[in-house]
Amino acid sequence: MENTLGLEIIEVVEQAAIASARWMGKGEKDIADEVAVEAMRERMNQIHMRGKIVIGEGERDDAPMLYIGEEVGICTQPNADEVCTPDELIEIDIAVDPCEGTNLCAYGQPGSMAVLAISEKGGLFAAPDFYMNKLAAPPAAKGKVDINKSPTENLKIMAECLDRSIDELVIIVMKRERHNDLIKEIRDAGARVRLISDGDVSAAISCGFEGTNVHGLMGIGAAPEGVISAAAMRCLGGHFQGQLIYDPAVVKTGLIGESKEANLERLSSMGINDPDKVYTAEELANGENVLFAGCGITPGTLMNGVRFFNGGYRTQSLVISSQSKTARFVDTVHMKDSPKRVSLN
């Protein structure tokens, strides 16, 4: 899968990032997302694959493109009979977030990315458009921290696994009212908190790399993004757990269905009979081969954002593969027809 699709998947996130970056700082988060969706879809439909979107713009945004269940790939072209033979193409499931951190992009803040994860058919958990309680930690703490333990207990375990004191740990938490008690407990335990407004995929993945000064992600964020984070963390050997949140009273927003009871019925209709199950990275991304790709839209911890110069653009992407057990940073200069000068800055 990596050999067949690797380079083209990179180009998918690159094109989405470039399109969105043109709207960076303009205060138009919906447009930044829309153009990223269109660019991602257009490039996907040039790839010789039979792809199915299992996590997309989905029900929450009611997006006309890259919706859950949409088929993508070369066979969707109007002249499909001339350009593809479906039975010869690899079938894959795809989870996408064309502009992860739309507010970050709209207001020129760090950490916005175009991201996706792929696996063989059936290899990615089709998460409902709910919220998810998440715990991410470095590989050294994998299987030792546990989302069912208190934040204080997990901080002690992380410190021991990383051979450092608790006050040297940095935990990322989304700045939300629902996290006030969590933030207080982390600080009372002695660790430091880095608050973010959006973009917890980048935060989770940063836990998998040394040198990022990020040692954990705690708290509730969107469930679809949790699956994408889990795919990357599985490839990195990091710790990730997620537990679906279906009670609007816990999330404290109006973006999670009509009621707790209605949400439980919806989960049951999707075949999720244990709504309180804690999922591991290996369960959320359970395919034999899993690949994550992301491209920076705005500068972040792991990647630079898109940079425009007279004659082209420069992007930085990250591709993580369970197949080759690699994490590749890809620096690409995209040249226009007649570039005057290729910039290396």
Side-chain angles (χ1 to χ4, degrees), residues 63-182:
M65 292 182 290
L66 289 179
Y67 55 85
I68 296 170
E70 180 176 358
E71 295 182 356
V72 293
I74 192 70
C75 289
T76 63
Q77 300 288 355
N79 60 338
D81 292 342
E82 302 173 13
V83 297
C84 75
T85 304
D87 292 343
E88 296 177 358
L89 300 179
I90 184 173
E91 285 189 87
I92 64 170
D93 283 354
I94 309 171
V96 302
D97 194 344
C99 183
E100 211 267 323
T102 52
N103 284 317
L104 301 178
C105 178
Y107 300 111
Q109 297 171 337
S112 181
M113 306 186 297
V115 297
L116 62 77
I118 67 174
S119 186
E120 302 91 352
K121 183 178 179 180
L124 296 173
F125 178 67
D129 200 15
F130 284 6
Y131 282 81
M132 178 181 281
N133 189 23
K134 306 173 187 179
L135 174 63
K142 182 177 175 62
K144 298 175 183 176
V145 293
D146 192 301
I147 203 168
N148 290 314
K149 295 178 179 177
S150 70
T152 301
E153 290 178 284
N154 282 324
L155 290 170
K156 291 177 180 177
I157 295 169
M158 281 185 201
E160 183 177 344
C161 292
L162 297 173
D163 192 24
R164 59 177 64 210
S165 62
I166 292 180
D167 64 4
E168 293 176 323
L169 298 177
V170 175
I171 308 300
I172 292 184
V173 181
M174 294 187 76
K175 188 177 182 181
R176 300 288 189 270
E177 180 185 352
R178 60 179 176 260
H179 291 147
N180 288 346
D181 291 340
L182 171 62

Side-chain angles (χ1 to χ4, degrees), residues 19 41 51 65 99 113 118 134 146 151 156 160 175 196 244 246 251 258 266 269 280 316 335:
R41 185 175 190 263
M65 292 182 290
C99 183
M113 306 186 297
I118 67 174
K134 306 173 187 179
D146 192 301
K156 291 177 180 177
E160 183 177 344
K175 188 177 182 181
I196 60 172
L244 294 174
Y246 48 84
V251 178
E258 298 178 2
R266 183 171 162 216
S269 70
T280 64
Q316 190 170 48
M335 293 175 284

Side-chain angles (χ1 to χ4, degrees), residues 273-295:
N273 298 315
D274 183 1
D276 297 312
K277 176 181 172 62
V278 174
Y279 296 90
T280 64
E282 290 73 19
E283 291 171 316
L284 294 170
N286 63 9
E288 182 178 351
N289 298 302
V290 176
L291 188 145
F292 165 91
C295 183

Side-chain angles (χ1 to χ4, degrees), residues 299-321:
T301 302
L302 295 172
M303 294 170 284
N304 283 317
V306 177
R307 287 153 289 170
F308 296 88
F309 61 90
N310 188 1
Y313 335 100
R314 189 173 181 180
T315 59
Q316 190 170 48
S317 305
L318 169 62
V319 185
I320 314 172
S321 169

Side-chain angles (χ1 to χ4, degrees), residues 222-236:
E225 283 82 350
V227 175
I228 297 174
S229 299
M233 289 297 274
R234 178 194 154 180
C235 297
L236 290 169

Side-chain angles (χ1 to χ4, degrees), residues 33-45:
D33 186 45
E34 180 182 345
V35 297
V37 169
E38 292 174 352
M40 183 173 276
R41 185 175 190 263
E42 181 179 354
R43 184 62 186 89
M44 278 186 178
N45 285 339

